[in-house]
Amino acid sequence: QDETLQEAWRCFHRGDFQQAVELADEAGLAGHAVANKATGIYATYLEENAKRQVDCFKSAIDRAEQAIEAFPDDPNSHYFHAFNLGRYSQSISVVKALKQGVGGKILKSLERALVLQPEHAEAHTALGMYHAEIIDKVGKLIGGMTYGANEKKAIQHFKRSLELTPRAPIARIEYGNGLYMLYGDDRLDEVSELYIEASETTPLDAMERLDVESALAEL
């Protein structure tokens, strides 16, 4: 099983996302993290069919829910649940997803991931996006009262993620996205700077290459 999982991670880093998921699933629920990461990244960047994209996110969310039951103390059970719920929300429309009650689930899973692993950089990034995206879509007042969204917290989480992973392109890209959601053109210089820095990163694996390419596309 360990060998299968290691090979699944190697496939993920190479960019063979489908093979990564197949191998991870062979290892059973123990492979949840690599399976859910590969599914989420593939669906976010490479799946062009909208229905298939949503189906990918849903399959990862189901797997993550099982993983939370099986491994409640694994921060990645919770993180990849939130990650795929967040991407699912973006793919169907955040407002629609909030009406389905997705916001509370994302917040709960991210907060749990950070209790279990306070230095989980990607969870900090995702929590920053949670606050920024909700304020962007429903405003500060409703966002704060209904979903606990807070502008200051958004910035704190983005900054913490950058401190923890100073060279990760995604930490900069999402910080840039979050700043734009919160402040629009008022902080465009900072947003552009973050994208430029992300685009100049030397990618260490396939996921980072996709991140760098998306930063270049934004520029």
Side-chain angles (χ1 to χ4, degrees), residues 4 21 32 34-35 56 70 75 99 103 112 125 128 193 213:
T4 308
V21 174
H32 71 91
V34 60
C56 281
K99 285 186 180 148
R112 187 74 196 126
T125 292
E193 189 57 39
E213 284 168 7

Coordinates of all heavy atoms in Angstrom, one line a residue, residues 4 21 32 34-35 56 70 75 99 103 112 125 128 193 213:
T4 N 2.3 1.9 -3.4 CA 1.2 2.4 -4.3 C 1.0 3.9 -4.1 O 0.8 4.6 -5.0 CB -0.1 1.6 -4.1 OG1 0.2 0.2 -4.1 CG2 -1.2 1.9 -5.1
V21 N -5.0 9.4 -9.2 CA -6.3 9.1 -8.6 C -6.6 7.6 -8.6 O -7.0 7.0 -7.6 CB -7.5 9.8 -9.2 CG1 -8.8 9.4 -8.6 CG2 -7.3 11.3 -9.1
H32 N -6.7 9.1 0.3 CA -7.7 10.2 0.1 C -7.0 11.6 -0.3 O -7.5 12.3 -1.1 CB -8.5 10.5 1.3 CG -7.8 11.0 2.5 ND1 -7.7 12.4 2.8 CD2 -7.1 10.4 3.5 CE1 -7.0 12.6 3.9 NE2 -6.6 11.4 4.3
V34 N -4.0 12.4 -1.8 CA -3.5 12.5 -3.1 C -4.6 12.4 -4.1 O -4.6 13.1 -5.1 CB -2.3 11.5 -3.4 CG1 -2.8 10.1 -3.3 CG2 -1.8 11.7 -4.8
A35 N -5.6 11.6 -3.9 CA -6.7 11.4 -4.8 C -7.5 12.8 -4.9 O -7.9 13.2 -6.0 CB -7.7 10.3 -4.4
C56 N -16.3 16.0 -11.0 CA -15.0 15.8 -10.3 C -15.0 16.3 -8.9 O -14.6 15.6 -8.0 CB -13.9 16.5 -11.1 SG -13.3 15.6 -12.6
A70 N -13.2 8.5 8.7 CA -12.2 7.5 8.9 C -10.9 8.0 9.6 O -10.3 7.4 10.4 CB -11.8 6.8 7.6
P75 N -5.3 16.4 9.2 CA -5.7 17.8 8.8 C -6.1 17.8 7.3 O -7.0 18.5 6.9 CB -4.5 18.6 9.0 CG -3.4 17.7 9.3 CD -4.0 16.5 9.8
K99 N -26.3 29.4 -0.8 CA -27.7 29.1 -0.6 C -27.8 27.6 -0.2 O -28.8 27.2 0.4 CB -28.6 29.4 -1.8 CG -28.8 30.9 -1.9 CD -29.8 31.3 -3.0 CE -30.0 32.8 -3.1 NZ -30.3 33.2 -4.4
G103 N -21.1 27.3 2.6 CA -20.2 28.2 3.3 C -19.8 27.7 4.7 O -18.6 27.7 5.0
R112 N -11.0 23.4 11.3 CA -10.6 22.1 11.9 C -9.2 21.7 11.4 O -8.3 21.3 12.2 CB -11.6 21.0 11.5 CG -11.3 19.7 12.2 CD -11.7 19.7 13.7 NE -11.2 18.6 14.4 CZ -10.5 18.7 15.5 NH1 -10.2 19.9 16.0 NH2 -10.0 17.6 16.1
T125 N -4.3 29.9 3.1 CA -4.7 30.5 1.8 C -6.2 30.4 1.5 O -6.9 31.3 1.2 CB -3.9 29.9 0.6 OG1 -2.5 30.2 0.8 CG2 -4.4 30.4 -0.7
G128 N -8.3 32.5 3.8 CA -8.2 33.9 3.3 C -9.2 34.1 2.1 O -10.0 35.1 2.1
E193 N 1.7 43.0 -8.7 CA 3.0 42.6 -8.2 C 3.0 41.1 -7.7 O 3.9 40.4 -8.0 CB 3.4 43.5 -7.0 CG 4.8 43.4 -6.5 CD 5.9 43.7 -7.5 OE1 5.7 44.6 -8.4 OE2 6.9 43.0 -7.5
E213 N 1.4 29.2 -14.9 CA 0.8 29.5 -16.2 C -0.5 30.3 -16.0 O -0.8 31.2 -16.8 CB 0.4 28.2 -17.0 CG 1.7 27.6 -17.6 CD 1.4 26.2 -18.1 OE1 0.3 25.7 -18.1 OE2 2.4 25.5 -18.5

